[in-house]
């Protein structure tokens, strides 16, 4: 009898608990002293990017399936170019899209910035509005690593830039 009363008291509390989906990406920006490049790896949820391509470009991409739309790669590249920027010493640098692969429920994007020399480097700033245009709650975690300097920032729709100074 006591268990039934306890359950009756707890049941209304569970009615207010909703399943919450997290909207997050994780990007790593590392300096390669050997190649003089910034090597960028970004992980985003496949289903979130699928929805983005549908809403923004009107394509059913079917990412990570045998029916993946052949245009998906071009739209991913276009979107990333619009929504992810890097500034070295205050100047925007060109980011090269190298490709993507799938890892369980994540899409891993590979990007690169060439001709970066450590002796000239004073600041690296990352601006990311990836997925914030369709998910207000989107958080883009960025890890910057340059030689012995490290910094991690959480970028949002409102606060979309993070900087590492040397």
């Amino acid at each position: 009898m006591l268990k039934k009363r306890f359950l009756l008291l707890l049941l209304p509390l569970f009615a207010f608990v909703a399943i919450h989906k997290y909207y997050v990406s994780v990007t790593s920006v590392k300096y390669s002293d050997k190649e003089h490049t910034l090597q960028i790896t970004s992980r985003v949820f496949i289903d979130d990017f699928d929805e983005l391509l549908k809403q923004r470009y009107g394509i059913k991409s079917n990412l990570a399936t045998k029916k993946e739309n052949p245009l998906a790669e071009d739209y991913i590249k276009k979107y990333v170019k619009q929504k992810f920027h890097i500034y070295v010493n205050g100047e925007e640098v060109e980011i090269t899209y190298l490709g993507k692969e799938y890892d369980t429920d994540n899409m891993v994007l590979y990007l690169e910035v060439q001709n970066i020399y450590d002796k000239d480097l004073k600041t690296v700033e990352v601006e990311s509005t990836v997925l914030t245009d369709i998910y207000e709650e989107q958080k883009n975690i960025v890890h910057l690593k340059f030689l012995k300097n490290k910094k991690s920032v959480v970028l949002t729709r409102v606060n979309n830039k993070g900087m590492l100074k040397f």
Side-chain angles (χ1 to χ4, degrees):
M1 183 72 165
L2 185 59
K3 286 183 181 178
K4 286 184 180 177
R5 284 187 182 170
F6 184 71
L7 285 174
L8 287 173
L9 286 172
L10 285 179
L11 193 57
L13 294 175
F14 288 117
F16 294 104
V17 177
I19 295 175
H20 176 72
K21 183 170 180 193
Y22 292 97
Y23 298 99
V24 66
S25 75
V26 179
T27 300
S28 173
V29 180
K30 294 180 182 176
Y31 176 71
S32 170
D33 190 25
K34 182 179 178 181
E35 298 177 26
H36 303 290
T37 59
L38 292 178
Q39 298 173 342
I40 305 152
T41 305
S42 188
R43 300 177 78 81
V44 296
F45 286 109
I46 295 167
D47 60 337
D48 292 344
F49 224 92
D50 241 345
E51 182 61 26
L52 171 101
L53 294 174
K54 180 180 166 189
Q55 284 188 31
R56 185 158 180 135
Y57 302 111
I59 70 162
K60 186 170 175 135
S61 56
N62 297 309
L63 295 174
T65 69
K66 290 180 181 177
K67 296 180 182 178
E68 182 167 313
N69 189 323
L71 297 175
E73 184 98 14
D74 291 335
Y75 283 107
I76 291 167
K77 185 177 180 179
K78 177 180 178 178
Y79 181 78
V80 170
K81 187 173 179 130
Q82 292 172 347
K83 298 294 183 170
F84 188 81
H85 304 277
I86 293 187
Y87 303 86
V88 173
N89 300 333
E91 298 289 324
E92 186 169 10
V93 292
E94 183 178 344
I95 299 173
T96 303
Y97 175 88
L98 301 176
K100 68 173 176 17
E101 67 180 3
Y102 301 112
D103 180 20
T104 315
D105 58 352
N106 283 283
M107 179 170 59
V108 184
L109 302 169
Y110 298 100
L111 312 165
E112 182 178 71
V113 176
Q114 298 177 349
N115 300 318
I116 302 295
Y117 297 93
D118 59 344
K119 62 181 172 55
D120 301 328
L121 210 55
K122 293 176 182 58
T123 63
V124 174
E125 184 176 25
V126 175
E127 177 182 5
S128 179
T129 55
V130 172
L131 295 170
T132 61
D133 44 346
I134 66 165
Y135 300 115
E136 189 173 334
E137 311 86 12
Q138 176 72 27
K139 307 252 185 301
N140 295 316
I141 300 167
V142 179
H143 302 291
L144 296 161
K145 185 178 177 189
F146 180 79
L147 302 176
K148 295 181 181 184
N149 298 298
K150 294 180 186 178
K151 183 175 185 176
S152 294
V153 292
V154 178
L155 305 179
T156 63
R157 182 183 279 187
V158 176
N159 181 21
N160 59 20
K161 290 183 180 180
M163 182 183 289
L164 179 60
K165 296 179 183 181
F166 309 104

